[in-house]
Amino acid sequence: MVREEVARSTRTLQWKCVESRVDSKRLYYGRFVLSPLMKGQADTIGIAMRRALLGEIEGTCITRAKSEKAPHEYSTIAGIEESVHEILTNLKEIVLRSNLYGVGDASICVRGPRYVTAQDIISPPSVEIVDTTKHIANLTEPIDLCIGLQIKRDCGYRMKPPKNSHSQDGSYPIDAVFMPVRNTNHSIHFYGNGNEKQEILFLEIWTNGSLTPKEALYEASRNLIDLFIPFLHEEEEDIIFEENKNKFTLPSFTFQDRLTNLNKNKKEIPLKCIFIDQSELPSRTYNCLKKSNIHTLLDLLSNSQEDLMRIEYFCIEDVKQILDTLQKYFAIDLPKNKFSF
């Protein structure tokens, strides 16, 4: 079936999701196909996407827990079936979905006897618990269990310090796996003969449920595009070589420099190629725009001031800062509403 669809279009790249399923609340699967590709292109894209999927997509984790009843990580607490170490391990496995930027706070405060699950976590409104049934502890006696939690959004993997992990305030660091993509691999299928031989790329993605494989593919693609944006410069940049130190310095590329050069040289760069995360907008403002599917300058200019004010957690100061940036580098304003001229 895939080969028949590819045969209809041999010039334009096409992609589609050929399989999607939810194996559990914490395991999503997706299989995607991209074609037609020239010889060698499928492997290039597959390797790059795998690196971006596993290493550059942000996730949210519990990174620290605090309890006054725990003298050290390997102690036990009367009335609790699990040791402190086992509770920390259970907290590590809780999957969160959020647009949180930086660090946030959460807590657990319950009274036994009862089973404590992820549903008992009191978290910020921007944080969603993917699987509320995840077991944390079993209170066998009528005691109070109060745990303060630190939640962080980041990417990659962060290990807790091997020694002296118990801080002075009684909190314990937790190994953080910020990678929402559990696994990914790609395969290549060939078709055609001789010089007409082309490739089809199949990409498989497994996620932990905090985002779908399609969302992961979108985020990874955007991250790769951002890496290549600087090469869209039409001017040749000088490279300063320091021969005495056997090193060279590459000039930095910033959103502001790029827009200044754009106005100075009157050269056009497609607005869809300029992403808002390259600007100096505050992180909270950027996250709000991103949540509303505003990713590029073209997306932003399709909205009015009234539209921006409808975005959740947006305030008038955010709109003013966006207007100042547009006025400074493009000498344009957003209309107050959709019908303003």
Side-chain angles (χ1 to χ4, degrees):
M1 180 179 69
V2 174
R3 296 195 180 200
E4 292 177 358
E5 292 180 6
V6 171
R8 298 193 193 106
S9 177
T10 57
R11 295 182 181 180
T12 303
L13 283 178
Q14 297 179 343
W15 78 275
K16 65 180 295 186
C17 178
V18 294
E19 184 178 357
S20 177
R21 68 173 186 263
V22 179
D23 294 331
S24 69
K25 290 183 179 180
R26 290 183 289 162
L27 184 59
Y28 285 45
Y29 171 81
R31 188 165 181 253
F32 306 87
V33 60
L34 177 66
S35 65
L37 296 166
M38 302 301 292
K39 184 178 180 181
Q41 290 182 338
D43 211 25
T44 300
I45 297 173
I47 293 173
M49 287 300 299
R50 187 176 190 277
R51 285 182 171 271
L53 284 164
L54 293 176
E56 298 188 18
I57 298 182
E58 291 186 342
T60 306
C61 295
I62 298 173
T63 58
R64 187 173 287 272
K66 179 181 179 181
S67 176
E68 297 178 353
K69 292 185 176 182
H72 58 81
E73 183 177 349
Y74 297 98
S75 63
T76 58
I77 302 175
I80 302 180
E81 186 175 300
E82 293 80 5
S83 67
V84 174
H85 177 74
E86 289 173 327
I87 294 175
L88 294 177
T89 301
N90 292 337
L91 290 172
K92 173 185 174 181
E93 296 174 356
I94 293 176
V95 178
L96 303 174
R97 178 186 178 100
S98 80
N99 60 351
L100 177 74
Y101 182 83
V103 179
D105 295 321
S107 63
I108 299 173
C109 192
V110 296
R111 182 171 180 80
R114 60 170 295 177
Y115 285 100
V116 183
T117 65
Q119 188 174 7
D120 296 307
I121 297 177
I122 303 172
S123 60
S126 60
V127 178
E128 175 188 351
I129 300 170
V130 173
D131 184 7
T132 57
T133 64
K134 180 66 181 76
H135 177 76
I136 297 177
N138 180 22
L139 306 185
T140 58
E141 297 180 10
I143 63 171
D144 293 325
L145 176 65
C146 293
I147 303 176
L149 303 174
Q150 182 185 82
I151 297 176
K152 185 177 181 181
R153 182 178 176 86
D154 205 339
C155 60
Y157 181 78
R158 300 291 183 274
M159 292 185 64
K160 64 182 181 182
K163 295 182 180 180
N164 299 325
S165 60
H166 183 207
S167 63
Q168 294 181 353
D169 63 353
S171 63
Y172 299 88
I174 300 175
D175 290 338
V177 183
F178 294 107
M179 299 179 289
V181 176
R182 286 188 171 186
N183 190 24
T184 177
N185 59 45
H186 72 279
S187 58
I188 304 171
H189 296 258
F190 304 91
Y191 69 98
N193 297 313
N195 294 332
E196 300 297 327
K197 196 169 186 178
Q198 293 180 318
E199 299 176 346
I200 303 174
L201 172 65
F202 285 91
L203 188 66
E204 294 180 290
I205 302 173
W206 290 263
T207 69
N208 64 0
S210 63
L211 76 173
T212 65
K214 187 175 181 180
E215 290 172 332
L217 184 63
Y218 180 79
E219 288 294 324
S221 300
R222 284 196 60 253
N223 290 338
L224 286 176
I225 291 172
D226 288 347
L227 291 176
F228 289 103
I229 284 292
F231 294 107
L232 292 178
H233 280 274
E234 297 185 17
E235 291 184 346
E236 293 184 1
E237 301 286 350
D238 295 330
I239 301 178
I240 304 173
F241 289 89
E242 299 181 13
E243 297 180 356
N244 295 335
K245 298 182 180 179
N246 294 322
K247 66 179 183 179
F248 64 92
T249 303
L250 289 172
S252 60
F253 298 99
T254 66
F255 182 81
Q256 286 73 15
D257 292 339
R258 189 161 175 232
L259 298 183
T260 301
N261 290 334
L262 175 64
N263 292 332
K264 179 180 179 181
N265 299 316
K266 297 182 179 180
K267 295 178 179 179
E268 294 185 358
I269 297 177
L271 299 181
K272 65 180 180 180
C273 293
I274 302 178
F275 290 88
I276 58 173
D277 55 358
Q278 294 173 294
S279 67
E280 292 185 354
L281 292 173
S283 300
R284 189 186 65 80
T285 304
Y286 161 67
N287 284 327
C288 289
L289 292 173
K290 180 180 176 182
K291 187 177 180 182
S292 300
N293 292 321
I294 299 175
H295 302 287
T296 67
L297 195 57
L298 183 62
D299 297 335
L300 181 60
L301 294 179
S302 65
N303 289 270
S304 66
Q305 298 180 35
E306 186 179 4
D307 294 331
L308 295 182
M309 286 301 300
R310 293 195 186 100
I311 296 177
E312 188 176 9
Y313 304 121
F314 235 54
C315 59
I316 188 63
E317 288 75 15
D318 298 319
V319 176
K320 287 181 179 178
Q321 189 156 14
I322 292 173
L323 294 176
D324 291 342
T325 300
L326 291 176
Q327 182 64 37
K328 181 177 181 180
Y329 295 106
F330 287 93
I332 58 177
D333 288 314
L334 290 179
K336 292 185 177 181
N337 54 64
K338 282 290 185 181
F339 303 100
S340 296
F341 296 95

